[in-house]
């Protein structure tokens, strides 16, 4: 049996002549919490949807997504749907629209258990109650009997997580699971995800643009820009010693209590310019236009190097400083 | 560069451009019909009410009578041209009046909350009524004709415009920049004319073409029943009425007016669909 | 749900009241001097006045309105001036034609349109789906009477399968009545189905792009299962609203189709009585039709409430 939960090899996702994900590779081992960060439009969500086989009509993929002993990109919708919710599951960003508004919560959770685990309705109901209990949802019976619109956003997101965990999947993909929630609820939801990974030894792919969330949750991280991974490695390395100028800029533009000058006067540093649109993506390094260290060499596409903390940059931060 | 990326790049196809065909076909059909209508105002081959028993029921393709003559020897070509004019005038007038009144009340409902309930409930009431029955009664009591037909159609089209205008205006009014404009001290009237109207106009134009088509169909239906347009005026629905009453359904005289209505309505509907795609690419956007 | 039902019922009552005033005003104000028309051209002013008084038409309009409405609510729909026939009797005798025709058309439209619209949505990027979409587009543009003429030309005149018009009462020959209704119902059904197919297609396409359909698929439903289990159920909500609009179209279609197939239904009765200036009969008949349409609308509204838990259970 593989000891990885997910292996992505050279994944390319495109629609007609727009390439949104341009060759992404990574491995998530079982029990590993793996973070994917980047601005919106960097290709994070499309990567996740491509793994699940849930891309919208018209989007095409190339490369390989290995999971549960097969290449998911070549599997039929039927084969995939037997995996979805069973060996891999996904938590979406907006819990207000992610649940079927006309079905009771109980029906939506028990369906998964009955469909994948072939248990009786009674057993499915019991197991659902246990799951909801674990999600710290008070009075699970009444929640099972509620429609989504009767519950709060935090409750709904916990239900989404319960649904994702129901069949003990090997891989959980969480796409911005806390972005739509209040700060106080965010922490609870993250703790639940964290505990689930520890308890079940499954792989977690956590997608967010929120660096502190990644820092608190994950062991490893990949930074995405312009449809490619530009830097990847251990959280401690990447976040303390960023090698890619983009990672560095991203970290510098995070508001922390240290660099907020309460008396005013100083401004939060930001990265100049904006992400190039898909149709104007340069052939070389996508970040070159916004990069202070860009050289002629950056017209060519840099690949990830072979260091432990991999970076795809012709002038990584340490060297660039030396030269400057 | 990764091999996969390179091979994908080599295989890329240019996206199929969203077809403008419906817009072009729809606009062309509508334009041709309008032109036929305009021409008929100044020139038609023969007076539509002059009958000549000696040339009854001439077949299609007869010289001087391209579409033949009817059971009284009247020229079908002239009647068809006049009928198209009637359809266009009544459909466009009913749609335009509904657009005007509907936009006014829809915006009032959206921007003045006190008026919202009364206006919308009135619209609901009108919407729930079987329009054709009223048109029937109206036509028989105050007399059939252009004005009655347009009045009847306008009464039953207006609520739809009120609803659409209100819904889209509300959406605009809930935008942040409207709140800013309010804080800035802009008057309701200014906000409505400057911000709301331009934002809802495209939806209303589409709605206009759809109800133009509906007006053409309804007028034809009323005239077919004998309570819409009557002699000495001519309408496509009335021609069918005459054909069925006088010579039965088997005669080709029953084909041309019907075909005329179908072509005009398809043209208008295509135009409406085309305009919707043109104004709001979100409906057909490649990346949703 | 209780509040929702109360609201709908209140709206039902208010609409009927408003409509009745409208009908009354329209028919009376625009109808000219009823007595004069009843008596014909050669009548003297004296005779007209006498008849008017006799018929109670000289009294103030509000008095007449309340009398008519009061009687109507008690089930007394009035009677014809000339023949003294009861309006309720006249209406009742048309119902066996008009009610099966209108309801049959509506049901047939639903039976055709829902599967066809679903098919078109499912195959929206294939030629087969596009074909259905084009077909419904053309169907929408065909006037209902012309469709009737063409169908009776094909099935009646050329194929001799069904009668092209006329009516055999149910009591006389049940099969004959069915046969004379077959083409009218079919015509009304396919014309309304065109509109409904288009709405169904749009509603399903919209729903299938919703987040919750993606969630359903992420939890293991195949495309097909998600469409049937989640898509159709949610798409039914906007469609129910459309059915309400179709109910009004249904009445219009029925009136025209009765004319095409020369059926002795409600439309002929209204036309005859309007021409004869039998104002009370016309008022009551129109009112009955409005009640019929409004009742269908009310049932649809309540069904919507049942289908949508956001209305049924509230927060």
């Amino acid at each position: 049996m593989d000891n990885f939960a997910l292996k992505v090899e050279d994944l390319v996702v495109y629609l007609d002549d727009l390439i949104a994900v341009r060759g992404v590779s990574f491995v998530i081992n079982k029990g590993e919490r793996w973070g994917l960060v980047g601005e919106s439009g960097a290709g994070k969500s499309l990567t996740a949807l491509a793994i699940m086989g849930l891309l919208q009509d018209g989007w095409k993929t190339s490369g390989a997504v290995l999971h549960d002993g097969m290449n998911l990109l070549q599997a039929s919708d039927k084969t995939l749907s037997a995996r979805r919710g069973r060996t891999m599951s996904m938590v979406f960003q907006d819990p207000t629209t992610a649940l079927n508004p006309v079905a009771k919560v109980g029906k939506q959770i028990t369906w998964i258990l009955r469909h994948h685990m072939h248990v009786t309705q009674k057993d499915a109901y019991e197991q659902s109650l246990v799951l909801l209990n674990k999600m710290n949802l008070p009075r699970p019976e009444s929640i099972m009997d509620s429609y989504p619109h009767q519950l709060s956003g935090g409750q709904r997101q916990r239900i989404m997580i319960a649904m994702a965990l129901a069949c003990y999947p090997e891989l959980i993909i969480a796409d911005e699971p806390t972005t739509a929630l209040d700060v106080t609820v965010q922490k609870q939801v993250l703790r639940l995800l964290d505990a689930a990974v520890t308890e079940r030894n499954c792989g977690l792919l956590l997608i967010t643009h929120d660096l502190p969330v990644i820092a608190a949750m994950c062991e490893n991280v990949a930074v995405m820009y312009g449809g490619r991974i530009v830097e990847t490695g251990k959280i401690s390395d990447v976040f303390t010693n960023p090698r890619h100028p983009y990672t560095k800029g991203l970290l510098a533009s995070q508001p922390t209590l240290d660099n907020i000058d309460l008396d005013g006067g100083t401004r939060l540093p930001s990265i100049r310019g904006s992400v190039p649109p898909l149709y104007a993506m340069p052939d070389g390094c996508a970040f070159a236009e916004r990069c202070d260290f860009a050289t002629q060499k950056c017209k060519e596409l840099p690949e990830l190097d072979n260091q432990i903390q991999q970076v795809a940059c012709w002038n990584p931060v340490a060297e660039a400083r030396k030269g400057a | 560069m990764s091999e996969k990326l390179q091979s994908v790049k080599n295989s890329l196809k240019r996206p199929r451009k969203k077809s403008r065909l419906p817009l072009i076909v729809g606009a062309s059909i509508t334009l041709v019909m309008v032109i036929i209508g305009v021409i008929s105002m100044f020139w038609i081959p023969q007076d539509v009410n002059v009958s000549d028993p000696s040339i009854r029921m001439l077949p299609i393709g007869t010289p001087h009578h391209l579409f033949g003559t009817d059971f009284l020897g009247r020229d079908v070509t002239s009647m068809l041209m006049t009928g198209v004019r009637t359809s266009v005038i009544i459909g466009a007038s009913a749609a335009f009046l509904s657009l005007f009144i509907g936009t006014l009340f829809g915006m009032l409902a959206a921007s003045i909350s006190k008026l919202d309930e009364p206006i919308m409930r009135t619209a609901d009431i009108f919407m729930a009524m079987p329009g054709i029955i009223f048109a029937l009664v109206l036509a028989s009591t105050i007399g059939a004709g252009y004005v009655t037909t347009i009045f009847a159609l306008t009464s039953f089209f207006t609520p739809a415009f009120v609803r659409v205008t209100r819904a889209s205006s509300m959406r605009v009014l809930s935008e942040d920049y409207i709140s800013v404009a309010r804080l800035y001290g802009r008057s309701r009237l200014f906000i409505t004319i400057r911000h709301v109207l331009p934002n809802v106009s495209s939806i209303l134009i589409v709605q206009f073409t759809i109800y133009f088509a509906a007006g053409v169909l309804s007028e034809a239906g009323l005239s077919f029943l004998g309570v819409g347009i009557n002699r000495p005026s001519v309408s496509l629905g009335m021609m069918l009425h005459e054909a069925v009453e006088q010579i039965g359904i088997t005669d080709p005289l029953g084909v041309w007016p019907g075909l005329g209505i179908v072509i005009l309505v398809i043209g208008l509907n295509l135009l409406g669909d085309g305009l919707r795609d043109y104004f709001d690419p979100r409906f057909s956007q490649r990346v949703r | 749900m209780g509040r929702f039902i109360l609201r709908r019922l209140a709206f039902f009552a208010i609409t009927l009241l408003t409509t009745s005033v409208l009908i009354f005003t329209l028919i009376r104000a625009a109808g000219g001097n009823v007595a004069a028309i009843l008596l014909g051209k050669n009548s003297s002013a004296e005779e007209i006045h006498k008849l008017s008084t006799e018929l109670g038409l000289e009294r103030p309009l509000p008095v007449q309105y309340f009398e008519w409405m009061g009687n109507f609510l008690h089930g007394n729909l009035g009677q014809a001036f000339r023949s003294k026939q009861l309006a309720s009797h006249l209406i009742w005798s048309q119902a066996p034609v008009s009610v099966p025709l209108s309801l049959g058309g509506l049901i047939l439209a639903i039976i055709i349109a829902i599967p066809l619209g679903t098919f078109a949505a499912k195959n929206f990027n294939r030629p087969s789906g596009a074909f259905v979409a084009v077909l419904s587009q053309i169907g929408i543009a065909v006037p209902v009477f012309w469709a009737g003429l063409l169908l009776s030309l094909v099935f009646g005149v050329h194929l001799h399968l069904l009668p092209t018009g006329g009516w055999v009462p149910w009591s006389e020959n049940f099969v004959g009545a069915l046969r004379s209704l077959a083409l009218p119902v079919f015509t009304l059904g396919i014309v309304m189905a065109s509109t409904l197919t288009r709405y169904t297609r749009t509603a399903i396409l919209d729903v299938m792009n919703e987040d919750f359909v993606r969630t359903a698929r992420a939890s293991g439903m195949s495309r097909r299962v998600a469409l049937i289990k989640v898509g159709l159920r949610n798409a039914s909500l906007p469609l129910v609203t459309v059915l309400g609009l179709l109910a009004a179209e249904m009445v219009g279609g029925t009136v025209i189709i009765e004319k095409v197939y020369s059926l002795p239904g409600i439309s002929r009765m209204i036309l005859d009585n309007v021409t004869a200036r039998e104002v009370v009969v016309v008022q009551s008949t129109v009112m009955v039709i409005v009640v019929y349409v409004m009742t269908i609308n009310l049932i649809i509204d309540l069904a919507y409430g049942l289908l949508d838990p956001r209305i049924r259970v509230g927060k």
Side-chain angles (χ1 to χ4, degrees):
Chain A
M1 209 171 150
D2 309 323
N3 51 13
F4 58 81
L6 175 73
K7 187 170 188 177
V8 175
E9 288 175 349
D10 219 352
L11 176 69
V12 179
V13 182
Y14 59 104
L15 174 76
D16 297 325
D17 58 348
L18 303 177
I19 313 180
V21 178
R22 343 186 109 216
V24 161
S25 305
F26 58 88
V27 179
I28 301 179
N29 289 313
K30 286 177 183 159
E32 185 182 3
R33 299 165 186 82
W34 211 82
L36 191 57
V37 288
E39 288 168 83
S40 42
K44 299 170 303 199
S45 292
L46 283 171
T47 304
L49 290 173
I51 294 167
M52 293 290 288
L54 292 176
L55 288 168
Q56 290 229 344
D57 288 297
W59 285 93
K60 295 197 181 72
T61 52
S62 164
V65 171
L66 303 175
H67 164 80
D68 199 28
M70 65 187 319
N71 181 358
L72 298 181
L73 294 187
Q74 265 143 33
S76 66
D77 186 51
K78 211 179 152 215
T79 320
L80 278 174
S81 56
R83 301 282 184 291
R84 292 189 205 118
R86 171 74 189 86
T87 65
M88 57 176 183
S89 56
M90 187 157 175
V91 180
F92 295 98
Q93 175 173 357
D94 188 356
T96 52
T97 55
L99 288 165
N100 184 357
V102 299
K104 284 184 179 172
V105 169
K107 198 178 153 200
Q108 300 188 45
I109 305 183
T110 53
W111 185 87
I112 299 177
L113 288 161
R114 292 179 54 194
H115 177 71
H116 290 299
M117 313 302 269
H118 307 289
V119 296
T120 62
Q121 173 64 35
K122 192 169 165 292
D123 288 351
Y125 186 81
E126 299 291 322
Q127 289 179 30
S128 306
L129 286 184
V130 174
L131 271 167
L132 292 182
N133 234 331
K134 257 193 195 146
M135 294 298 120
N136 293 329
L137 284 163
R139 297 196 300 131
E141 289 89 354
S142 82
I143 288 197
M144 292 280 282
D145 200 37
S146 303
Y147 288 98
H149 73 274
Q150 295 170 296
L151 306 169
S152 73
Q155 284 174 315
R156 282 186 244 186
Q157 194 62 307
R158 277 181 269 189
I159 290 163
M160 289 293 297
I161 295 175
M163 286 166 65
L165 297 178
C167 301
Y168 289 80
E170 288 172 30
L171 171 71
I172 301 169
I173 301 176
D175 186 4
E176 307 264 7
T178 55
T179 311
L181 302 177
D182 289 342
V183 183
T184 44
V185 186
Q186 281 185 8
K187 263 194 184 150
Q188 298 171 9
V189 167
L190 288 172
R191 263 192 218 120
L192 288 170
L193 272 175
D194 191 57
V197 175
T198 314
E199 185 194 327
R200 294 157 187 242
N201 197 37
C202 56
L204 172 71
L205 172 56
L206 179 65
I207 297 172
T208 179
H209 61 259
D210 197 350
L211 298 180
V213 166
I214 294 267
M217 285 281 290
C218 301
E219 289 98 39
N220 293 300
V221 65
V223 181
M224 249 183 124
Y225 188 85
R228 290 175 69 83
I229 292 180
V230 294
E231 179 161 11
T232 177
K234 283 205 166 60
I235 286 282
S236 46
D237 296 341
V238 174
F239 280 14
T240 45
N241 290 311
R243 293 181 65 210
H244 198 284
Y246 175 64
T247 319
K248 192 176 149 65
L250 209 57
L251 287 165
S253 56
Q254 287 293 311
T256 63
L257 279 180
D258 304 339
N259 64 14
I260 288 182
D261 182 354
L262 290 177
D263 297 325
T266 56
R267 288 176 65 169
L268 200 57
S270 61
I271 308 176
R272 67 187 158 83
S274 57
V275 187
L278 284 185
Y279 56 81
M281 200 59 81
D283 284 333
C285 175
F287 188 61
E289 264 180 49
R290 307 170 70 186
C291 184
D292 292 331
F293 311 109
T295 58
Q296 204 54 32
K297 187 82 175 142
C298 299
K299 294 242 162 79
E300 287 168 44
L301 192 65
E303 295 291 334
L304 285 171
D305 60 19
N306 293 323
Q307 315 248 347
I308 297 168
Q309 183 185 342
Q310 292 177 287
V311 68
C313 179
W314 297 115
N315 309 301
V317 171
E319 287 97 310
R321 274 216 197 97
K322 236 180 273 166
Chain B
M1 185 182 292
S2 91
E3 267 171 53
K4 275 283 178 294
L5 184 58
Q6 192 55 59
S7 70
V8 165
K9 272 194 173 171
N10 292 340
S11 72
L12 285 182
K13 271 188 244 151
R14 286 203 64 81
R16 261 190 305 153
K17 251 184 137 180
K18 176 75 194 172
S19 173
R20 286 271 166 83
L21 203 64
L23 185 65
I24 295 165
V25 173
S28 315
I29 293 178
T30 311
L31 196 67
V32 167
M33 290 301 204
V34 170
I35 290 174
I36 291 177
V38 171
I39 291 176
S40 80
M41 295 169 98
F42 302 103
W43 176 83
I44 41 173
Q46 261 155 54
D47 189 314
V48 287
N49 289 307
V50 168
S51 47
D52 180 355
S54 65
I55 50 162
R56 292 174 62 230
M57 304 299 288
L58 287 179
I60 289 167
T62 314
H64 305 298
H65 300 286
L66 205 56
F67 281 88
T69 55
D70 74 352
F71 49 90
L72 290 178
R74 294 174 291 200
D75 181 49
V76 174
T77 319
S78 311
M79 298 205 309
L80 282 173
M81 286 175 68
T82 318
V84 167
R85 175 179 75 197
T86 307
S87 291
V88 170
I89 289 179
I90 291 193
S93 316
F96 182 78
L97 285 175
S98 314
L99 171 77
F100 185 75
I101 304 169
T103 310
L104 189 70
F105 281 100
M107 285 190 168
L108 281 176
S111 51
I112 303 170
S113 53
K114 258 189 204 158
L115 294 179
D116 190 20
E117 274 285 313
I119 290 178
M120 293 320 289
R121 292 297 80 79
T122 314
D124 281 350
I125 289 172
F126 269 86
M127 213 144 183
M129 286 183 193
I132 198 155
I133 303 277
F134 276 83
L136 216 84
V137 172
L138 208 62
S140 333
T141 48
I142 66 175
Y146 268 81
V147 177
T148 314
T149 310
I150 292 173
F151 174 72
L153 296 185
T154 306
S155 328
F156 297 101
F157 290 170
T158 305
F161 284 89
V162 176
R163 279 193 180 187
V164 166
T165 311
R166 175 182 173 271
S168 7
S169 304
M170 293 284 238
R171 214 171 302 135
V172 177
L173 286 172
S174 68
E175 299 276 347
D176 286 343
Y177 69 87
I178 299 292
S179 318
V180 173
R182 281 210 185 107
L183 285 174
Y184 213 74
R186 296 298 196 196
S187 70
R188 268 195 190 130
L189 188 67
F190 180 89
I191 290 177
T192 307
I193 292 173
R194 187 65 191 275
H195 297 301
V196 179
L197 204 56
N199 276 299
V200 300
S201 60
S202 59
I203 298 171
L204 290 175
I205 291 171
V206 172
Q207 183 95 344
F208 172 81
T209 59
I210 292 169
Y211 277 84
F212 190 158
V216 171
L217 277 178
S218 309
E219 181 275 318
L222 290 174
S223 299
F224 177 77
L225 286 176
V227 295
I229 305 300
N230 281 316
R231 296 272 175 187
S233 305
V234 171
S235 107
L236 297 175
M238 186 211 77
M239 288 175 71
L240 279 168
H241 171 82
E242 286 185 350
V244 171
E245 297 269 299
Q246 300 297 325
I247 44 176
I249 53 176
T250 49
D251 195 86
L253 272 182
V255 173
W256 304 117
L259 216 54
I261 297 166
V262 172
I263 292 172
L264 177 56
V265 172
I266 287 184
L268 285 166
N269 282 341
L270 283 178
L271 180 64
D273 286 355
L275 284 174
R276 181 180 359 232
D277 284 347
Y278 178 78
F279 286 132
D280 190 357
R282 263 171 303 170
F283 273 104
S284 50
Q285 211 174 27
R286 296 192 295 147
V287 193
R288 264 196 255 226
Chain C
M1 189 68 182
R3 266 194 64 164
F4 172 72
I5 295 179
L6 276 182
R7 271 185 70 106
R8 297 324 297 179
L9 285 175
F11 178 64
F12 182 75
I14 292 172
T15 311
L16 286 185
L17 210 68
T18 324
T19 322
S20 69
V21 175
L22 207 68
I23 293 171
F24 186 86
T25 330
L26 212 63
I27 294 175
R28 286 300 168 86
N33 191 330
V34 174
I37 297 164
L38 286 173
L39 286 169
K41 272 186 185 144
N42 300 322
S43 51
S44 66
E46 211 169 299
E47 281 173 315
I48 294 172
H49 181 74
K50 191 170 162 255
L51 185 66
S52 279
T53 322
E54 244 173 67
L55 296 174
L57 296 169
E58 290 288 277
R59 294 172 298 159
L61 280 178
V63 174
Q64 294 189 47
Y65 167 77
F66 282 111
E67 186 193 62
W68 168 62
M69 205 62 251
N71 285 337
F72 188 91
L73 291 174
H74 286 96
N76 174 5
L77 307 193
Q79 60 182 24
F81 296 132
R82 286 199 191 85
S83 62
K84 301 294 174 203
Q85 269 185 302
L86 286 176
S88 53
H89 177 76
L90 285 168
I91 295 168
W92 193 242
S93 62
Q94 321 299 327
V97 180
S98 298
V99 172
L101 171 56
S102 56
L103 282 185
L106 187 64
I107 291 166
L108 184 67
I110 295 172
I111 293 174
I112 297 175
I114 303 292
L116 211 58
T118 312
F119 174 84
K122 217 178 131 197
N123 299 298
F124 78 98
N125 48 7
R126 298 208 186 94
S128 56
F131 177 71
V132 175
V134 169
L135 213 61
S136 77
Q137 177 80 271
I138 294 173
I140 291 170
V142 175
V144 63
F145 53 89
W146 203 52
L149 293 178
L150 294 182
L151 284 172
S152 66
L153 197 61
V154 173
F155 288 97
V157 178
H158 288 301
L159 299 174
H160 298 290
L161 284 176
L162 292 161
T164 56
W167 172 247
V168 185
W170 294 98
S171 52
E172 235 169 69
N173 183 345
F174 187 80
V175 180
L178 274 186
R179 278 172 56 85
S180 46
L181 272 182
L183 267 184
V185 167
F186 184 63
T187 311
L188 185 58
I190 55 166
V191 168
M192 294 206 305
S194 310
T195 321
L196 193 56
T197 302
R198 195 177 149 91
Y199 279 119
T200 308
R201 177 177 177 274
T202 318
I204 290 178
L205 279 179
D206 284 352
V207 164
M208 292 310 278
N209 275 318
E210 293 278 355
D211 280 0
F212 54 79
V213 172
R214 196 175 58 185
T215 311
R217 291 189 58 212
S219 49
M221 286 189 194
S222 65
R223 226 175 246 277
R224 216 176 64 86
V225 175
L227 172 71
I228 293 165
K229 277 185 122 67
V230 181
L232 278 185
R233 178 72 169 71
N234 278 283
S236 68
L237 298 178
L239 285 182
V240 166
T241 331
V242 172
L243 278 184
L245 296 178
L246 274 190
E249 194 188 320
M250 172 191 83
V251 171
T254 305
V255 167
I256 292 176
I257 282 177
E258 283 177 357
K259 170 93 174 170
V260 173
Y261 292 98
S262 18
L263 295 171
I266 212 85
S267 66
R268 178 185 289 182
M269 182 200 154
I270 293 182
L271 274 178
D272 289 353
N273 282 291
V274 165
T275 322
R277 288 301 186 275
E278 292 286 0
V279 285
V280 175
V281 176
V282 175
Q283 273 162 217
S284 294
T285 312
V286 174
M287 205 53 212
V288 166
I289 294 174
V290 171
V291 172
Y292 178 58
V293 176
M294 291 293 300
T295 309
I296 294 178
N297 268 318
L298 182 71
I299 294 170
I300 288 170
D301 269 347
L302 296 181
Y304 186 88
L306 279 180
L307 279 172
D308 193 341
R310 282 161 290 192
I311 289 173
R312 190 172 68 232
V313 279
K315 260 276 181 204

